[in-house]
């Protein structure tokens, strides 16, 4: 597994764990936090399959999170933004066929 794949997987897993920690009740019903959770779960599946990811999903998740919580400074916002950067690098590697 190359570093790009691992970096994206680690960040996505961190986000999922943070959502479980900070918003456990909100993950039990359909709403913003559950939608964000499902998006990052799907990203993990796609990374495992070495498929490219639409980096815009991260921006959408950040927007939904901030709209829902009004917490621009929450650590999850920074983690999601970092994940977007890592996804862009990952996508370049996947498109370039560099899947060592």
């Amino acid at each position: 597994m190359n570093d790009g794949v691992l970096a994206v997987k680690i960040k996505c897993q961190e986000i999922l764990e943070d959502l479980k920690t900070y918003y456990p009740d909100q993950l039990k019903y359909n709403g913003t936090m559950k939608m964000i959770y499902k998006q990052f779960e799907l990203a993990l599946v796609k990374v495992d399959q070495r498929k490219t990811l639409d980096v815009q999903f991260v921006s959408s998740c950040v927007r939904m999170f901030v709209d829902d919580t009004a917490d621009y400074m929450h650590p999850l916002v920074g983690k999601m933004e970092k994940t977007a950067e890592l996804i862009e690098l990952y996508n370049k590697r996947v498109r370039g066929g560099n899947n060592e």
Side-chain angles (χ1 to χ4, degrees), residues 9-24:
K9 286 184 76 163
I10 288 170
K11 277 296 174 197
C12 287
Q13 289 167 341
E14 285 178 9
I15 291 166
L16 294 175
E17 288 303 314
D18 282 357
L19 286 167
K20 288 180 196 174
T21 299
Y22 294 115
Y23 303 100

Side-chain angles (χ1 to χ4, degrees), residues 6 9 13 24 27 39 43 51 58 72 83:
L6 187 59
K9 286 184 76 163
Q13 289 167 341
L27 296 179
Q39 288 294 311
K51 293 183 179 179
V58 180
Y72 296 87
T83 303

Side-chain angles (χ1 to χ4, degrees), residues 11-65:
K11 277 296 174 197
C12 287
Q13 289 167 341
E14 285 178 9
I15 291 166
L16 294 175
E17 288 303 314
D18 282 357
L19 286 167
K20 288 180 196 174
T21 299
Y22 294 115
Y23 303 100
D25 293 336
Q26 288 91 331
L27 296 179
K28 294 176 185 173
Y29 60 87
N30 291 331
T32 299
M33 297 308 162
K34 189 170 186 176
M35 286 176 16
I36 293 170
Y37 190 91
K38 294 231 176 257
Q39 288 294 311
F40 280 94
E41 273 187 326
L42 181 59
L44 279 174
V45 170
K46 288 183 176 183
V47 169
D48 281 338
Q49 298 170 348
R50 302 301 188 271
K51 293 183 179 179
T52 58
L53 299 170
D54 179 4
V55 74
Q56 295 301 332
F57 94 87
V58 180
S59 300
S60 296
C61 287
V62 169
R63 179 61 188 233
M64 287 188 298
F65 181 86

